[in-house]
Amino acid sequence: MSAYDFFLTQEPSTYQLETLTDTILWSVSYNDLEIIYDKTEIGNTIGRLASEDLFMKKSKRELSLLIQSAQERYLNLFTEQPELLQFIPLKYIASYIGVTPQALSRIRKRIS
């Protein structure tokens, strides 16, 4: 988990990240990661695959915000990551799918 765009540009982030559950984090500096990429083939491969995975997830989310209704986004989240709905407060779920908590409440009522 990182503000990956700012990690890559080595600029101060304009946003912060907050965990909603107990979390164990590992860290690596930009310079150390560059050394890993430069010196090890497996490190370079893992880094590329991780970057591709992040890109695909971000692209999927952006596309869903453009072409899906809020109800479709909620149902997809419910189907793809149901465990999130057990641990994440609904106000954050609403924000993630791009609606107000009140709109999410109406969606949940409509589909129940």
Side-chain angles (χ1 to χ4, degrees):
M1 175 57 71
S2 76
Y4 191 56
D5 45 350
F6 292 98
F7 179 78
L8 292 176
T9 61
Q10 291 296 279
E11 297 176 6
S13 178
T14 57
Y15 54 91
Q16 68 184 47
L17 304 171
E18 179 180 347
T19 64
L20 299 174
T21 61
D22 289 339
T23 305
I24 296 172
L25 298 174
W26 296 348
S27 67
V28 64
S29 72
Y30 179 83
N31 290 335
D32 286 345
L33 188 59
E34 286 297 308
I35 291 169
I36 292 168
Y37 288 166
D38 187 49
K39 303 279 185 201
T40 68
E41 185 177 333
I42 190 67
N44 197 30
T45 300
I46 290 170
R48 180 181 56 80
L49 293 173
S51 295
E52 289 172 359
D53 183 60
L54 286 171
F55 174 79
M56 294 304 295
K57 287 176 180 174
K58 185 174 194 270
S59 294
K60 182 179 179 181
R61 175 164 158 50
E62 290 171 351
L63 188 59
S64 76
L65 289 168
L66 290 172
I67 65 171
Q68 293 179 326
S69 69
Q71 181 170 322
E72 289 171 320
R73 289 191 300 276
Y74 177 75
L75 289 171
N76 284 343
L77 184 62
F78 188 80
T79 301
E80 294 172 8
Q81 299 180 62
E83 69 282 357
L84 291 183
L85 300 175
Q86 297 172 357
F87 300 106
I88 309 293
L90 290 177
K91 67 180 182 177
Y92 296 120
I93 299 291
S95 176
Y96 183 77
I97 66 171
V99 298
T100 65
Q102 296 81 6
L104 178 56
S105 179
R106 288 190 295 274
I107 290 168
R108 288 167 48 90
K109 184 177 181 179
R110 192 168 42 243
I111 64 175
S112 63

